[in-house]
Amino acid sequence: MMTAGEAHAAGYGCPGNLVWQQDITGNGSYSNTVVATIYGYWNGVNNCEVAVKRVFVGQKTRMDFWLYSDTPGSPAHDPGEYSSYAGPLTAYNNAHGCVWEEISMWDPQGHEIAQAYWGSKHNCG
């Protein structure tokens, strides 16, 4: 039987349990608005993350999502036009490594509403 975290992850294509999440606040006229939420999952070997839009949901807008790791093979990158979320991105994380992310987002008119948000290191082994 799947846990609630596993079911949530499966909906975004990530294996494992939800272990971390971060709301992303925009900039400029979106400085008081949560524009996305990043969800992080762990399956005992890999971290998997998705960036879920909270504004312009259902409209394709540009998102640039990166997942970094202290381990080789980093970073994973998913740029494109998305209507609901970017990712999933996967990074191997050894017993001593951490992951962190970067995201930029644009509105339908092409104005950047979240500029290169850098997450702090988390999920450290």
Side-chain angles (χ1 to χ4, degrees), residues 5-84:
E6 289 170 332
H8 188 265
Y12 295 119
C14 284
N17 287 304
L18 179 65
V19 294
W20 183 85
Q21 70 182 59
Q22 176 68 48
D23 287 337
I24 306 303
T25 302
N27 57 353
S29 60
Y30 291 89
S31 63
N32 293 317
T33 304
V34 173
V35 297
T37 301
I38 299 174
Y39 295 99
Y41 304 90
W42 170 251
N43 68 358
V45 177
N46 293 310
N47 286 280
C48 182
E49 294 193 5
V50 293
V52 179
K53 293 171 63 171
R54 298 293 178 218
V55 294
F56 310 114
V57 177
Q59 297 178 49
K60 285 192 172 189
T61 59
R62 183 174 163 204
M63 297 176 75
D64 197 0
F65 184 43
W66 298 79
L67 177 60
Y68 297 89
S69 172
D70 287 328
T71 56
S74 177
H77 186 213
D78 190 20
E81 300 274 329
Y82 300 100
S83 59
S84 58

